[in-house]
Amino acid sequence: MDAVDDLGDAIAATRNFLTPVRAGLWLRLAILALFVGGLGTGFPSAPTGDVGPAAEQAPGPGAEAIPEEAILAAVVAVGFLLLLWLGYALVAAVMEFVLIESLRSETVRVRRYSNANVGRGIRLFGFRVALIAIAALVGATPVVASILGLGGIDGTTGVVGLAALFAVAVYLAYAVINRFTSEFVAPIMLLEERGVLSAWRRFWPTVRANWLEYVVYLVLVWIIQAAVGIAVSILMLIAGIIVAIPFIVIAVLLFALGDVGAILAAVVVLTGILAFVLAALLIQVPVVSYFKYYALLLLGDTNADLDLIPDQRAAIRADGGELSEPDWDDSSRPPETDDRGDDEDDWTADYGWVDDDEEIDDWEDAGWGDAEDRDGRDDRDNRDDRDGRNDRENHEDDDRGW
């Protein structure tokens, strides 16, 4: 079954992409992880409270002004957080395509891929917001109506429980649609330059024809995510302790210096927080890459026309997951760079190296004989050229009077 086999292939694809470790590539992927899978995209929670009774019980004149100010402050806070979330969700939608294109090309070009996918990101953002609004409206309305007894609904415990179960079912449907949109529909949008609904129509026959594969995919993904989530939490805890110790020590020493030291200590603490966030995002990089590769592999296996990573798939399955590299010796090895894969990958074309066997074959095909004859002829040619050059140089020296 492809959904099971692709679990191992996704590990190989992720390993080949992320190794050898290149700082520039990992840092750019950490930025993508911040938006695609690092911190989530849920609605911010709004502060609530029973303001009405407080207004009635507050004594003295002018007591009604306090709850009005509190309500205004709460509305402003909620509006500000909502705007922040909308901006974050918009950038996250664009970064979804940046990550797909990065895994597809095995290069990470954040600015270039962002500029090329702004339109797709806006369409994906609009679909996500509409999906959240519909799910919230459909799922929350029965619960609120049963609790408040609206519309003639009896607000008993059983009715509220049934409404809550219905809300859970709506949430599960939302989670499946949202995941399929991000993992399968978005790649189709990128591959065939479609909108969200058009890509869903393109993807739906594949789901119907391979429904068991995608059911197994959902089950495995949720199980693996739960297990990986625990492991990632432990790693983040360890990373937090390692990162925090030096910053805390420095901050305490600076704080003891007085007012200026307190300001410097605050800067050190802020730097430590940013360092922890960076460490957490770097931990997320292989996780986010793995799940995205898993989805792309399954999509291509269930529909070859929708395969975005045919080269990676062929390399993985041809040699057991190890990408082959040219057999260079130390004298001809390409220079080490921090971003191998970000520029041209064809080292032969860039540096002019050729394979010795191919060169020998070319000589033999041209009728120059075997390799030994060629080597002897090269030695004679070089010797003749050298002798002739020496004679010319000596003659020139004599003419100049040396």
Side-chain angles (χ1 to χ4, degrees):
M1 178 173 284
D2 293 328
V4 178
D5 296 337
D6 288 339
L7 290 173
D9 290 344
I11 295 176
T14 304
R15 182 183 64 246
N16 292 336
F17 178 52
L18 297 180
T19 57
V21 176
R22 290 153 282 171
L25 183 140
W26 275 70
L27 288 175
R28 288 193 289 271
L29 286 175
I31 297 174
L32 300 182
L34 171 65
F35 294 97
V36 175
L39 300 179
T41 56
F43 275 115
S45 58
T48 57
D50 191 3
V51 181
E56 295 176 358
Q57 297 172 7
E64 297 180 356
I66 296 177
E68 291 179 358
E69 293 176 356
I71 293 175
L72 179 61
V75 171
V76 172
V78 171
F80 178 72
L81 292 176
L82 182 60
L83 287 177
L84 283 181
W85 179 84
L86 290 174
Y88 173 81
L90 176 59
V91 177
V94 176
M95 293 301 162
E96 193 78 48
F97 295 99
V98 175
L99 178 60
I100 296 171
E101 188 61 66
S102 299
L103 299 180
R104 177 188 182 186
S105 62
E106 295 189 306
T107 62
V108 184
R109 307 283 192 181
V110 177
R111 183 173 61 182
R112 180 186 302 177
Y113 295 158
S114 297
N115 293 336
N117 291 283
V118 171
R120 297 187 188 92
I122 293 175
R123 289 191 288 271
L124 180 60
F125 165 75
F127 180 84
R128 286 175 171 176
V129 171
L131 183 63
I132 290 175
I134 294 172
L137 181 63
V138 174
T141 299
V143 176
V144 174
S146 62
I147 293 175
L148 300 180
L150 300 177
I153 300 177
D154 187 10
T156 61
T157 304
V159 174
V160 174
L162 290 175
L165 290 176
F166 176 76
V168 171
V170 171
Y171 172 77
L172 291 176
Y174 156 78
V176 171
I177 296 174
N178 185 57
R179 171 168 286 276
F180 276 21
T181 302
S182 300
E183 304 298 328
F184 302 111
V185 174
I188 296 174
M189 294 174 62
L190 181 62
L191 178 66
E192 300 186 348
E193 298 184 355
R194 295 173 176 264
V196 182
L197 297 181
S198 176
W200 257 109
R201 287 192 295 268
R202 180 73 170 88
F203 174 59
W204 185 244
T206 302
V207 177
R208 288 190 304 174
N210 303 272
W211 64 270
L212 184 58
E213 295 280 1
Y214 286 94
V215 170
V216 173
Y217 163 81
L218 286 174
V219 174
L220 291 177
V221 159
W222 285 335
I223 293 174
I224 296 173
Q225 276 188 327
V228 171
I230 296 174
V232 168
S233 299
I234 295 174
L235 288 176
M236 286 185 179
L237 177 61
I238 297 173
I241 294 174
I242 295 175
V243 171
I245 290 176
F247 286 100
I248 291 176
V249 172
I250 296 173
V252 170
L253 294 176
L254 290 174
F255 189 78
L257 298 178
D259 295 338
V260 176
I263 297 175
L264 295 176
V267 174
V268 169
V269 171
L270 179 60
T271 304
I273 294 174
L274 294 177
F276 170 72
V277 172
L278 177 59
L281 292 175
L282 290 175
I283 293 173
Q284 288 281 351
V285 164
V287 177
V288 173
S289 302
Y290 171 79
F291 284 110
K292 189 66 69 174
Y293 263 130
Y294 180 33
L296 293 176
L297 287 168
L298 181 62
L299 179 62
D301 283 333
T302 53
N303 190 334
D305 294 334
L306 302 178
D307 189 4
L308 278 78
I309 52 172
D311 296 336
Q312 294 92 320
R313 184 191 311 276
I316 291 168
R317 295 174 181 175
D319 49 23
E322 296 292 339
L323 288 179
S324 59
E325 295 183 357
D327 187 15
W328 289 312
D329 56 26
D330 293 337
S331 62
S332 62
R333 184 174 297 277
E336 295 292 335
T337 62
D338 184 58
D339 245 340
R340 182 173 63 85
D342 283 357
D343 299 319
E344 292 294 334
D345 292 328
D346 191 353
W347 292 98
T348 301
D350 286 348
Y351 294 93
W353 293 317
V354 296
D355 186 80
D356 292 339
D357 295 335
E358 294 179 358
E359 185 178 5
I360 292 172
D361 293 339
D362 292 340
W363 277 89
E364 293 176 351
D365 292 340
W368 292 103
D370 57 18
E372 294 180 356
D373 293 340
R374 185 201 65 193
D375 294 338
R377 182 173 56 260
D378 289 343
D379 292 339
R380 291 192 299 272
D381 292 342
N382 292 334
R383 185 169 58 253
D384 294 340
D385 292 342
R386 184 175 64 252
D387 294 341
R389 184 171 60 254
N390 291 336
D391 292 340
R392 288 193 301 273
E393 291 175 354
N394 293 333
H395 180 70
E396 292 173 357
D397 290 344
D398 294 338
D399 293 341
R400 286 194 296 267
W402 293 101

